[in-house]
Amino acid sequence: MSQYQTLSLPANLQHIASAFASVDRQGQVIQLNPNDPSQYILASRHNGTSVTVYGKKFDTVDYQQLASQLTDTGLTGVQIIDALDEQSDAALSFIYQGELADTTWTAIKEWALANTLDVWRLAERPTINQPGLLLMDMDSTTIKIECIDEIAKLAGVGEEVAAVTEMAMQGKLDFAESLRGRVGTLAGSDESIIAQVKDNLPLMHGLTRLIAVLKQHNWRIAIASGGFTYFADKLKDDLGLDAAVANTLEIVDGKLTGQVLGGIVDAQVKADTLGELAQQFGIDAKQTVAMGDGANDLVMMAAASLGVAFEAKPLVQEKADVAINFYGLDALLYILQR
């Protein structure tokens, strides 16, 4: 079991999950009584409006606290959403028929934050059971670093570049202008420093599982990055991605010139890439997901059927459809419709 995939059911639910493992699902799930989780039925999967919670710790007290906050929404049941692979993690989906007041949702989010739980208000969204497209940002989303910051450290201008990167990700600077400025500080640096970074790209937690399960369900997966092809192309090859779009660093005689070749992959280019790839792969627009962490991902996320903020800046979390704050990229598997 991965440390990122460990939602533990309350002790009195363990026997339910264990028994269910031997059931031929056929689209069915365990549905709990909201007021008494010891009472349950095998029910048809519900893909309507819900509050879904995912995290490492979730005990009976947590269950009752969340259920009590949703009593005024017409809470009808709580379904156990289990893994699509051999992992043992799960999520709980609290299904309601009424309206979820903004004040109630704010209180639930604050409760989840205090308990290090990811919680999502879900309605109509892409389904994993039909071909889809996931387009991800690269730096600080697909991988755990900002590549230009790592290059800059090796070039001796790390603090200067990192400060500009942070402001750009918060939407306080024009992305294209800031990128050209940051790349300009690297002029004259040896190509070997970017090779060092390329050889040590730390994958984001949950990435390999997410890719494996999505591919099993005929999804296409791609990167659209304001970073560089030097790294995006390696990830495409190593992970078996369907496409990678990024900026090209100019290198002459083994040295960085401080220039980017061609146009900059900015927010609009990322959004355009989503549409172009969906058309290329024959993916319905309703089956598109975009995931990122910075302000330059917002246009892409808005263009997708589902925009997912991952460990994102506050502005991005505010505007995204859902946010993953505490767990791996594979938490997306519990957000998509089943």
Side-chain angles (χ1 to χ4, degrees):
M1 181 189 301
S2 164
Q3 62 176 314
Y4 305 108
Q5 305 159 9
T6 55
L7 182 133
S8 298
L9 299 174
N12 64 338
L13 299 183
Q14 291 289 2
H15 70 286
I16 302 175
S18 176
F20 186 59
S22 63
V23 173
D24 183 6
R25 290 167 175 75
Q26 296 297 316
Q28 292 185 306
V29 294
I30 297 170
Q31 181 159 306
L32 311 174
N33 183 320
N35 300 315
D36 183 2
S38 67
Q39 298 180 17
Y40 58 92
I41 60 173
L42 196 59
S44 298
R45 186 174 297 283
H46 179 87
N47 287 323
T49 307
S50 70
V51 168
T52 297
V53 62
Y54 181 85
K56 291 182 182 178
K57 169 190 170 291
F58 196 81
D59 58 23
T60 304
V61 173
D62 296 319
Y63 180 97
Q64 292 170 339
Q65 287 179 344
L66 184 50
S68 67
Q69 294 190 72
L70 291 166
T71 53
D72 293 335
T73 64
L75 189 60
T76 60
V78 183
Q79 295 189 349
I80 299 176
I81 310 301
D82 61 330
L84 290 164
D85 53 8
E86 299 302 316
Q87 300 297 328
S88 58
D89 56 331
L92 292 183
S93 183
F94 290 72
I95 304 157
Y96 60 91
Q97 293 181 337
E99 294 294 325
L100 180 62
D102 289 341
T103 52
T104 302
W105 177 232
T106 297
I108 289 172
K109 289 192 292 184
E110 290 174 351
W111 167 83
L113 179 64
N115 288 278
T116 59
L117 296 166
D118 276 326
V119 65
W120 312 300
R121 178 165 54 175
L122 302 177
E124 185 177 349
R125 57 202 184 277
T127 174
I128 197 168
N129 294 319
Q130 297 175 14
L133 169 66
L134 169 62
L135 186 60
M136 296 183 289
D137 176 41
M138 179 174 68
D139 298 84
S140 297
T141 301
T142 308
I143 55 177
K144 295 181 179 181
I145 60 172
E146 293 284 338
C147 289
I148 192 166
D149 291 357
E150 299 304 312
I151 298 169
K153 288 177 188 177
L154 296 173
V157 290
E159 292 186 7
E160 174 187 347
V161 169
V164 177
T165 298
E166 178 64 19
M167 292 184 69
M169 292 303 99
Q170 292 183 17
K172 296 178 179 179
L173 294 174
D174 176 77
F175 180 80
E177 181 180 345
S178 74
L179 182 67
R180 292 190 187 279
R182 284 176 285 164
V183 172
T185 67
L186 305 175
S189 298
D190 196 272
E191 182 181 3
S192 63
I193 65 173
I194 60 174
Q196 288 182 52
V197 176
K198 184 178 75 169
D199 291 339
N200 295 280
L201 296 177
L203 301 182
M204 191 61 75
H205 38 279
L207 175 64
T208 54
R209 181 195 186 194
L210 175 64
I211 291 172
V213 175
L214 288 181
K215 282 188 170 293
Q216 288 169 4
H217 289 79
N218 301 311
W219 274 58
R220 301 282 190 158
I221 306 159
I223 286 173
S225 174
F228 308 111
T229 55
Y230 204 94
F231 311 107
D233 288 346
K234 174 178 171 55
L235 291 170
K236 177 177 178 290
D237 292 340
D238 289 352
L239 299 171
L241 305 181
D242 295 285
V245 175
N247 299 298
T248 303
L249 286 170
E250 184 178 52
I251 302 172
V252 176
D253 296 331
K255 301 287 185 180
L256 278 68
T257 67
Q259 300 293 320
V260 176
L261 296 175
I264 297 293
V265 178
D266 60 10
Q268 188 57 55
V269 172
K270 288 187 173 189
D272 292 343
T273 298
L274 181 82
E276 291 164 2
L277 291 178
Q279 183 175 24
Q280 177 184 338
F281 298 134
I283 304 297
D284 190 299
K286 293 181 179 179
Q287 283 290 108
T288 57
V289 178
M291 182 184 291
D293 71 301
N296 64 319
D297 298 314
L298 284 172
V299 181
M300 172 181 73
M301 290 163 61
S305 178
L306 182 71
V308 182
F310 181 78
E311 297 183 358
K313 303 298 183 287
L315 174 66
V316 182
Q317 293 208 31
E318 177 186 336
K319 294 185 177 296
D321 296 312
V322 293
I324 300 170
N325 294 317
F326 299 113
Y327 300 98
L329 293 169
D330 51 342
L332 177 62
L333 299 173
Y334 296 90
I335 296 171
L336 296 173
Q337 237 172 237
R338 297 286 183 91

